[in-house]
Amino acid sequence: MCDLPTSTGAQVSTHCPYCALQCGTTLGGGRRDGVTVRPADFPVNQGRLCHKGWTAPDLLTAPDRLTQPLLRGPDGQPRRTSWTTALDTVAHRLRAIRDEHGPDAVAVFGGGGLTNEKAYLLGKFARLALGTSQIDYNGRFCMSSAAAAGNAAFGLDRGLPFPVTDLARAETVLLAGANVAETMPPLMRHLTHAQLIVVDPRRTPTAERAALHLQPAPGTDLALALGLLHAATVDGLLDETYIRERTHGFDAAVHRALTWRPERVEEVTGVPAHAQHQAVRMLARSRGAYVLTGRGVEQHSTGTDTAAALINLALALGLPGRDGSGYGCLTGQGNGQGGREHGQKADQLPGYRLITDPAARAHVAGVWGVGPDQLPGPGRPAYQLLDALGTDQGPRALLVFGSNPAVSAPHASRVTERLAALDLLVVADFVPSETARLADVVLPVAQWAEEEGTLTNLEGRLLRRRALLPPPDGVRDDLRVLHDLAVRLGEPPERYPTEPRTVFEELRAASRGGRADYSGITYRRLDDGEALYWPCPQTPEPHPGTPRLFHDRFAHPDGRARFAEVDHRGPAEETSDPYPLYATTGRVLAHYQSGAQTRRVGELRAAVPEPFVEMHPDTARQSGLADHELARITSARGSMTARTRLDATMRPDTVFLPFHFPGAGRANLVTHPALDPVSGMPEFKVCAVRVTPAPEQGETP
């Protein structure tokens, strides 16, 4: 991170378009002379930006920016067309598919980068204009496991139930499955005074800064978490008063953990028993301690149980709800928090309400002006939805907003096949992503610096996104797209506002009384600079918001947190003679998510121009490979190619694959689609593979 000269001319205060830190920025300039960015002195980034944030304006001038709708012709080639023709075509084909196959033959797939207003209106559009239950979003692949565990333990899920700035007072922070030095670099500024305990199979840049690095085998985090609770118990480090006064279920949870002696855990995970004891002592003896989890913990078929086991550890040590201590989950996508609160998840309605709850259905239906029986029930979670596309029992049409599942979904070859089997694929995007290239209709929509709205960052703080520029000619905002489609499908125009402020006013009403209550938040309060964290109900006097949750009570009716009774089970796929290595996936500093945005930024593309496979030198030697040679990584589901990077800190049984690349370099060609039974999270973080030499381009295999 570094500082650059400030910009001149027109300026607007907004936020970075990437991760859930939502770093504050000031944009200046214009489309003709170029947009400049400088960091704001916002609490989460404190006047700094990472490489992605500094280069974000380059997205606005991507050479292949979409500025006109595309319609695939009879010859299979996409051609430019008018908005009228594109929308008429989509509406006509959607009606025909619904008439023949029923409303659930049409599906919607959203994204964790959409503003709150877009996420809200997308859910409303799916359930009313389309009448379908088949809606989910890519946030299911992000932190759904931690959300499920948090709701069960605390009665409420908010990524961080405290402001990021609280971390600066911590003496010890355990980061489990979170490589924040690369994925959220400004967050490291809040951790400079803490001793870090990092749980990660790799020696990441975050682990390099740790006082203690626990390096478990992929797929064994749950066993490690159980071992840490065992160590806390036998070493006399439990906060017994806190357990007795603020929790339920400890005896059953610790009964499971006591079967996982640290020595047994060492056999399963490879983490030395003495290091497990050391980690717990560091947490328990600190005046301020936090347990934070990330995707490395969650993206498993056991992700919910693993997150629950780490919550158990935090509860046993008396951390959640205390000043200077706590538990939290590091949300990944820019609006991963707000994006799942307002209706684009298969099982939820706005305000983080369950769609199966009669009272929730009645409340939201009342805001929408329909009867509760007009709302469909829960649909399929993300991967099941994608896997069912084009089948006899699945959707025949799919509308995609703000996502690129052709790259980001597990078992990517299967998902690509399902997308190709659809009768109709419609994609709204601002660049021709890999999913957009498969579409029958592509709708060009506005980017982050061209739109107004709100987002909710990883702390549960509401933020204002502000437009510096109008969209280019031919580009429409997603809200306008949803409005125009809904009207063509026979909906009343006023039901789908196109102004973000108007949509937010309706969102406030729909969220009122829900777990994620935004009803006391207004654009005026946000524009006046108030720091408002949900829940923020509407009260006679303006509610100040809730920056810190759980100080007095947890959100369950009795005010107590719940321990979870969980036990270890291994990954869905173990290594074998044909596939002797574990593969794990993740991010790198220069890229974000599927890479559709960052691969179009010259500086970022130059930093990491192609996929790579990171492995121990001994592993490479045994595979017949040297550094920088092209390798084929093969699982039972398929193969991808990547160039080797040798790293002596890697576990010899593990290789690492970044998931930002398309085509033959898609890491998700090999990942396993096994799902967490509670959250629906796929097992991105571990699968069995073999690595062999691959011919260079032009060579004969």
Side-chain angles (χ1 to χ4, degrees):
M1 294 180 287
C2 57
D3 292 309
L4 292 180
T6 60
S7 60
T8 59
Q11 294 186 345
V12 65
S13 296
T14 188
H15 295 268
C16 177
Y18 291 114
C19 81
L21 277 181
Q22 284 296 290
C23 294
T25 62
T26 300
L27 299 181
R31 205 175 294 280
R32 176 179 297 178
D33 300 324
V35 173
T36 60
V37 62
R38 57 186 176 89
D41 189 20
F42 188 68
V44 299
N45 58 305
Q46 298 179 340
R48 297 290 190 272
L49 291 175
C50 74
H51 199 180
K52 291 188 289 289
W54 280 118
T55 57
D58 291 2
L59 289 170
L60 300 168
T61 55
D64 57 352
R65 172 78 189 270
L66 296 168
T67 57
Q68 193 169 346
L70 302 175
L71 178 63
R72 194 174 299 278
D75 61 356
Q77 296 302 311
R79 291 185 174 83
R80 293 183 177 185
T81 190
S82 69
W83 272 100
T84 298
T85 299
L87 294 172
D88 285 349
T89 300
V90 172
H92 172 74
R93 295 181 67 179
L94 288 175
R95 281 196 301 267
I97 290 168
R98 287 192 310 174
D99 289 346
E100 182 175 355
H101 301 285
D104 278 358
V106 177
V108 176
F109 199 80
L114 301 179
T115 62
N116 289 316
E117 293 81 0
K118 292 179 183 180
Y120 170 81
L121 205 67
L122 187 64
K124 182 181 181 181
F125 171 84
R127 294 182 171 105
L128 295 188
L130 298 176
T132 184
S133 67
Q134 302 299 296
I135 175 172
D136 211 78
Y137 82 128
N138 63 13
R140 180 76 66 172
F141 300 155
C142 182
M143 62 169 294
S144 57
S145 293
N151 277 320
F154 307 127
L156 188 69
D157 156 48
R158 198 178 84 188
L160 296 185
F162 49 81
V164 162
T165 49
D166 284 4
L167 294 171
R169 304 198 303 270
E171 286 189 2
T172 302
V173 175
L174 185 149
L175 290 166
N179 178 19
V180 294
E182 288 195 277
T183 60
M184 295 179 169
L187 183 63
M188 294 299 292
R189 292 179 57 81
H190 301 279
L191 302 174
T192 54
H193 301 297
Q195 52 182 357
L196 299 183
I197 305 166
V198 173
V199 179
D200 201 303
R202 300 171 58 223
R203 184 73 173 172
T204 64
T206 308
E208 288 175 357
R209 305 185 193 188
L212 179 63
H213 178 202
L214 308 181
Q215 198 169 8
T220 65
D221 302 294
L222 180 47
L224 178 59
L226 290 163
L228 295 176
L229 180 54
H230 184 292
T233 304
V234 300
D235 291 351
L237 299 173
L238 302 177
D239 189 328
E240 295 181 359
T241 301
Y242 179 100
I243 292 169
R244 183 175 60 254
E245 295 180 352
R246 299 206 61 187
T247 72
H248 281 311
F250 173 74
D251 289 344
V254 80
H255 176 74
R256 293 282 190 180
L258 288 176
T259 67
W260 285 92
R261 295 178 297 104
E263 292 76 16
R264 180 189 178 195
V265 172
E266 180 175 351
E267 293 175 0
V268 172
T269 67
V271 176
H274 70 82
Q276 298 171 50
H277 288 281
Q278 181 183 353
V280 174
R281 287 195 301 270
M282 290 168 66
L283 287 168
R285 295 174 180 172
S286 295
R287 284 176 294 180
Y290 289 85
V291 173
L292 304 179
T293 63
R295 304 299 80 73
V297 162
E298 299 171 58
Q299 289 179 329
H300 296 272
S301 58
T302 57
T304 300
D305 284 354
T306 305
L310 287 161
I311 292 174
N312 285 350
L313 174 66
L315 290 171
L317 298 176
L319 306 183
R322 283 200 167 162
D323 287 330
S325 295
Y327 164 85
C329 172
L330 299 170
T331 308
Q333 295 187 77
N335 198 30
Q337 183 70 55
R340 71 177 180 276
E341 293 166 0
H342 297 300
Q344 60 174 338
K345 273 188 77 176
D347 57 349
Q348 287 181 193
L349 290 170
Y352 222 140
R353 290 179 159 94
L354 289 177
I355 200 168
T356 54
D357 178 2
R361 294 172 64 85
H363 175 83
V364 174
V367 174
W368 290 351
V370 300
D373 58 341
Q374 289 183 248
L375 303 184
R380 295 177 174 93
Y383 183 76
Q384 291 100 316
L385 174 60
L386 296 171
D387 189 52
L389 297 175
T391 65
D392 290 343
Q393 303 301 316
R396 309 295 306 176
L398 178 69
L399 285 73
V400 179
F401 287 78
S403 188
N404 188 18
V407 175
S408 63
H411 201 176
S413 59
R414 165 72 179 176
V415 170
T416 302
E417 290 171 1
R418 300 317 330 136
L419 291 169
L422 288 164
D423 295 340
L424 176 66
L425 174 60
V426 181
V427 175
D429 211 330
F430 56 84
V431 293
S433 69
E434 287 68 32
T435 304
R437 294 180 189 277
L438 300 172
D440 300 291
V441 184
V442 179
L443 305 175
V445 292
Q447 285 200 52
W448 59 288
E450 303 161 352
E451 63 182 16
E452 297 286 323
T454 62
L455 300 101
T456 308
N457 77 349
L458 78 172
E459 316 161 291
R461 177 172 174 170
L462 270 288
L463 308 172
R464 279 279 282 117
R465 173 174 283 182
R466 298 179 177 89
L468 175 71
L469 309 166
D473 291 342
V475 172
R476 295 187 181 181
D477 182 83
D478 301 72
L479 298 180
R480 172 76 184 280
V481 172
L482 293 171
H483 170 92
D484 291 348
L485 279 175
V487 170
R488 283 170 167 81
L489 292 169
E491 288 284 288
E494 64 275 10
R495 186 171 281 170
Y496 300 90
T498 59
E499 291 297 321
R501 286 175 185 261
T502 306
V503 177
F504 189 79
E505 286 301 303
E506 187 179 308
L507 182 158
R508 292 176 60 211
S511 75
R512 184 176 294 117
R515 284 187 286 180
D517 190 336
Y518 285 29
S519 61
I521 301 172
T522 65
Y523 268 49
R524 174 173 290 183
R525 295 185 71 184
L526 295 174
D527 288 341
D528 286 345
E530 290 190 66
L532 298 174
Y533 300 74
W534 71 262
C536 183
Q538 190 170 25
T539 52
E541 295 296 323
H543 192 282
T546 315
R548 295 172 183 85
L549 295 169
F550 312 140
H551 272 201
D552 300 320
R553 55 184 286 116
F554 294 98
H556 288 297
D558 63 1
R560 291 172 175 259
R562 271 58 167 161
F563 281 88
E565 185 180 356
V566 296
D567 205 351
H568 174 68
R569 57 188 187 278
E573 185 174 67
E574 297 284 0
T575 56
S576 61
D577 288 341
Y579 306 107
L581 300 170
Y582 291 116
T584 189
T585 66
R587 306 177 189 177
V588 297
L589 175 63
H591 290 298
Y592 178 73
Q593 299 299 85
S594 72
Q597 297 174 60
T598 51
R599 284 184 276 109
R600 287 173 165 82
V601 175
E603 285 185 38
L604 302 179
R605 187 173 61 250
V608 185
E610 62 180 353
F612 62 87
V613 54
E614 191 174 80
M615 63 177 69
H616 192 280
D618 291 345
T619 308
R621 193 177 307 112
Q622 292 167 8
S623 302
L625 288 157
D627 202 13
H628 302 300
E629 289 188 337
L630 200 62
R632 177 174 288 109
I633 301 93
T634 303
S635 74
R637 289 152 299 283
S639 298
M640 54 93 65
T641 56
R643 204 160 292 281
T644 58
R645 282 191 184 182
L646 304 192
D647 183 344
T649 69
M650 285 289 293
R651 291 178 57 101
D653 61 356
T654 301
V655 300
F656 169 74
L657 304 168
F659 57 72
H660 311 290
F661 298 93
R666 283 178 290 172
N668 283 320
L669 289 168
V670 302
T671 51
H672 203 295
L675 302 177
D676 183 291
V678 177
S679 67
M681 172 73 79
E683 189 145 86
F684 288 107
K685 291 302 183 189
V686 56
C687 66
V689 300
R690 65 174 176 268
V691 180
T692 56
E696 296 285 346
Q697 187 173 6
E699 292 183 0
T700 303

